[in-house]
Amino acid sequence: MSTGHAFSAKIGWSRWLGQRLTLVAGMAILGLFIFMAIAAPMIAPYDPIAQNGDLRLVPPSFLHPFGTDNFGRDILSRIIWGARIDLQIAFIGVAFPFLIGTVLGTISGYFGGIIDTVFMRLIDIILAFPFLVLMLSIIAILGPGLLSFYIAMALVGWVSYARLIRTQMLVLKNSDYAVAAVSLGFSNARIMFRHLLPNAIAGSVVFSMSDAVLVLLNGAAISYLGLGVQPPLAEWGVMVAEGQSFISTAWWITLFPGLSIVVLAFGFSLFGDGLGEVLGVRE
């Protein structure tokens, strides 16, 4: 009997894993990078910013699996430490737009009227400018650095989340349970954030994973242009920029950080697709 139960449990687990393979793969990739970021002081073989003129442009070898850069710094160590900054860019760059857009979209969709009209005109103004151009303009005004990047993302990136939530709120505010909540005399804030928002937010949560990919790529691009993370900090976009002058003679300087960006972005994408399947959300 116990053998039969064990066999059934194994079959059930295999079926669940097969149905959630995309989600599991995404979680595995993200988990690997999160582990790298947390354990960087313990697993990085060298100091990521220590320079050594005797080890300039050493190709991949046993001692330096990913080679060294033009300052003699170990590429593998810099990639491991860079995971901290790039994950921070992805998470913080999504968190603030998500929060701002969710609050504004909830208020606009619930109240409608003049509030919704003003809100939609504001969105139209922001969408009239190319996203990257508007973000670069804000960073140019504030000055280079991660803080400027986060502020620019918060000022520009909230639009997509607000539109998603607003659309859901326009439908849900006329539902039976919303009408019942109004009849019971609940406050607008309680109805919006305790009764409607939990039923409207699934699509935004799934979208945030796809948005994390764009934020990660934007962060790398900004750092590549010299407006994001500043040297000598280890960040993958900065590493790609530093290696572009040596692309024909020391290809490893740009290849490995570039692959890291692609793999992490792929992990976020898989996780978002898998989460959408679990939640029944289709983008």
Side-chain angles (χ1 to χ4, degrees), residues 120-143:
M120 291 305 296
R121 298 296 77 77
L122 177 60
I123 287 182
D124 290 341
I125 292 172
I126 294 176
L127 293 178
F129 299 92
F131 180 88
L132 192 57
V133 172
L134 187 57
M135 191 172 66
L136 286 172
S137 301
I138 296 172
I139 294 175
I141 294 172
L142 298 176

Side-chain angles (χ1 to χ4, degrees), residues 13 38 40 49 55 60 66 80 95 97 114 137 139 141 192 195 211 233 245 249 251 258 280:
W13 172 252
I38 294 174
I49 62 175
L55 295 175
F66 288 1
I80 292 173
I114 186 64
S137 301
I139 294 175
I141 294 172
M192 285 189 294
H195 298 281
D211 193 34
L233 289 178
S245 301
T249 57
W251 48 266

Side-chain angles (χ1 to χ4, degrees), residues 28-232:
I29 294 174
L30 294 181
L32 173 62
F33 281 100
I34 292 172
F35 170 76
M36 283 172 50
I38 294 174
M42 294 175 286
I43 64 175
Y46 301 97
D47 186 331
I49 62 175
Q51 301 182 16
N52 189 335
D54 296 330
L55 295 175
R56 294 180 67 253
L57 304 179
V58 174
S61 62
F62 179 76
L63 292 178
H64 301 278
F66 288 1
T68 64
D69 63 10
N70 54 312
F71 294 105
R73 298 173 299 193
D74 182 64
I75 298 295
L76 175 59
S77 299
R78 289 180 61 77
I79 286 177
I80 292 173
W81 279 92
R84 286 189 167 190
I85 296 179
D86 282 87
L87 282 172
Q88 174 186 319
I89 288 173
F91 287 126
I92 297 180
V94 166
F96 286 107
F98 180 89
L99 293 174
I100 294 171
T102 296
V103 172
L104 293 180
T106 299
I107 294 173
S108 174
Y110 181 78
F111 288 106
I114 186 64
I115 294 177
D116 189 47
T117 300
V118 172
F119 170 78
M120 291 305 296
R121 298 296 77 77
L122 177 60
I123 287 182
D124 290 341
I125 292 172
I126 294 176
L127 293 178
F129 299 92
F131 180 88
L132 192 57
V133 172
L134 187 57
M135 191 172 66
L136 286 172
S137 301
I138 296 172
I139 294 175
I141 294 172
L142 298 176
L146 272 183
L147 179 60
S148 298
F149 173 76
Y150 294 144
I151 293 174
M153 285 301 307
L155 293 176
V156 179
W158 61 270
V159 171
S160 298
Y161 296 100
R163 294 176 70 186
L164 284 171
I165 292 294
R166 172 186 174 272
T167 301
Q168 292 294 317
M169 294 298 291
L170 289 174
V171 175
L172 293 176
K173 71 178 183 180
N174 296 317
S175 61
D176 292 339
Y177 63 87
V179 174
V182 173
S183 302
L184 291 172
F186 293 159
S187 66
N188 289 325
R190 176 172 178 175
I191 295 173
M192 285 189 294
F193 295 107
R194 292 190 58 182
H195 298 281
L196 300 184
L197 185 58
N199 295 290
I201 204 170
S204 294
V205 172
V206 173
F207 175 76
S208 68
M209 294 297 104
S210 300
D211 193 34
V213 176
L214 298 178
V215 171
L216 178 65
L217 296 178
N218 285 333
I222 294 300
S223 296
Y224 178 87
L225 295 173
L227 297 175
V229 177
Q230 299 300 300

Side-chain angles (χ1 to χ4, degrees), residues 6-24:
F7 181 75
S8 300
K10 184 177 180 180
I11 294 296
W13 172 252
S14 300
R15 184 181 296 114
W16 182 92
L17 185 61
Q19 294 172 345
R20 304 289 186 264
L21 187 59
T22 303
L23 178 64
V24 172

